[in-house]
Amino acid sequence: MSRRAIVTAGTGGIGLETAKGLARHGYAVTVVGRNAERGASAVEEIAAVANGGAPRFVAADLASLDNVRALAAQLAADGPLGVLVNNVGAMFAQRQRTVDGIEASFAVNHLSPYLLTELLLDRLRVDAPSRIVNVSSAAIRTARRTFDAVEPPGGYYGFHWYGRAKLANLAYTVHLAERLRGTGVTVFAADPGGAATGMTDGTMTSPKIVSPPLRLLWPLVRRTFERSTAGPASAAARSSVFAAADSLGGRTGLLVGPEARPVPLFRGAADPRVIENVLRLSRQLAPLNGAGRGARHP
């Protein structure tokens, strides 16, 4: 019987290529997305290369915490789970809020995978050896390391706020790897590098997504970005597939870089103060019990 893998935002781009890679490794892949038509198309593509169980699609809006809770309950009830790849990511040119009233970049890039992971931990522990992969980004290097509130001080700059949310998720990944050490559940982060995907189309063309000092260098930054995103999504997915399917020598807590090998962690992600503040804010904004359903935080 094929082991099951879940890939969020798996109906296109890097997520779809990750799902196809895991299907080639023999996993029965479930992809999560918002659009049923894209989901059906993704399932067809995955089935064409699968060496294991039949792929399937599950619809969910990962910008809604209630949707994430319902998704987790459904996925946990579906049976044994071997791999969870939190691939969901989004960058917003303008400040937006989710249905929960939370700034959208932080909600989608960190709170959604944080909450889904926490709610699936019991399932993953029971089914160990199992694995969690959180997709990271080099944009963390431009991020403020302040997590006293969901929104950092100063103006809204989409690229920096995206990087800050990804930094929060990487700090959570570092914490979770240590927390689960010895349980049979291993935890990794994967940096896909650059790829031309739907997330970057249009968003990265405006200098307003970066702070004013960087706008002076925008022509150079944009040319560098366009070169880095010239590769296909299949190449960018290598880090996620490697992190999810390679033995990695029994290790945990590693960051897998774009060349599909472990690379040094960004130091800010291992800062105990950053981790503490990220966990506090995450538990406050995305309680595991939802609206008073009585679960305890880890």
Side-chain angles (χ1 to χ4, degrees):
M1 181 178 182
S2 299
R3 298 210 75 195
R4 186 164 57 113
I6 295 165
V7 181
T8 64
T11 61
I14 296 171
L16 175 57
E17 295 300 330
T18 299
K20 289 162 67 175
L22 292 178
R24 291 187 184 98
H25 277 275
Y27 285 92
V29 181
T30 297
V31 291
V32 179
R34 290 180 297 176
N35 186 286
E37 185 175 344
R38 291 187 65 187
S41 176
V43 165
E44 287 186 12
E45 285 195 45
I46 298 165
V49 300
N51 290 315
R56 59 191 290 258
F57 166 72
V58 175
D61 180 1
L62 296 174
S64 162
L65 296 181
D66 278 347
N67 266 226
V68 173
R69 293 185 183 97
L71 172 67
Q74 177 179 350
L75 295 175
D78 282 344
L81 175 59
V83 173
L84 169 64
V85 180
N86 287 306
N87 171 75
V88 65
M91 188 188 305
F92 303 94
Q94 304 293 329
R95 188 195 311 251
Q96 297 184 32
R97 297 192 184 280
T98 66
V99 66
D100 301 293
I102 302 170
E103 190 277 315
S105 187
F106 197 79
V108 174
N109 294 292
H110 171 59
L111 291 180
S112 168
Y114 159 80
L115 182 59
L116 182 62
T117 300
E118 289 290 327
L119 293 173
L120 287 175
L121 281 184
D122 285 347
R123 176 85 266 176
L124 288 159
R125 286 191 187 101
V126 168
D127 300 327
S130 55
R131 187 166 294 188
I132 299 162
V133 178
N134 291 327
V135 177
S136 188
S137 169
I140 62 176
R141 300 183 184 278
T142 71
R144 291 193 175 193
R145 302 183 197 178
T146 57
F147 295 97
D148 296 326
V150 66
E151 299 185 21
Y156 179 86
Y157 308 110
F159 185 73
H160 301 300
W161 286 40
Y162 168 76
R164 178 175 174 269
K166 285 295 189 180
L167 173 58
N169 197 245
L170 185 57
Y172 168 64
T173 303
V174 171
H175 156 79
L176 189 64
E178 289 305 312
R179 180 173 139 207
L180 296 177
R181 189 178 292 276
T183 66
V185 184
T186 49
V187 185
F188 299 95
D191 178 3
T197 67
M199 190 190 82
T200 58
D201 292 345
T203 307
M204 288 292 291
T205 59
S206 170
K208 293 183 179 180
I209 67 168
V210 297
S211 59
L214 283 181
R215 292 177 193 174
L216 298 174
L217 301 173
W218 182 248
L220 174 61
V221 172
R222 182 173 176 181
R223 283 198 300 272
T224 301
F225 173 78
E226 287 171 347
R227 286 196 299 269
S228 73
T229 59
S234 57
R238 289 185 302 171
S239 60
S240 295
V241 175
F242 181 83
D246 191 87
S247 69
L248 285 161
R251 293 173 290 176
T252 190
L254 301 177
L255 171 63
V256 176
E259 299 302 319
R261 61 173 180 261
V263 297
L265 275 169
F266 178 57
R267 285 188 300 173
D271 184 331
R273 293 170 298 179
V274 170
I275 293 173
E276 180 182 356
N277 288 336
V278 165
L279 291 174
R280 176 193 52 77
L281 188 59
S282 303
R283 292 163 178 164
Q284 173 189 330
L285 294 170
L288 305 190
N289 58 341
R293 285 194 281 270
R296 289 187 306 224
H297 298 309

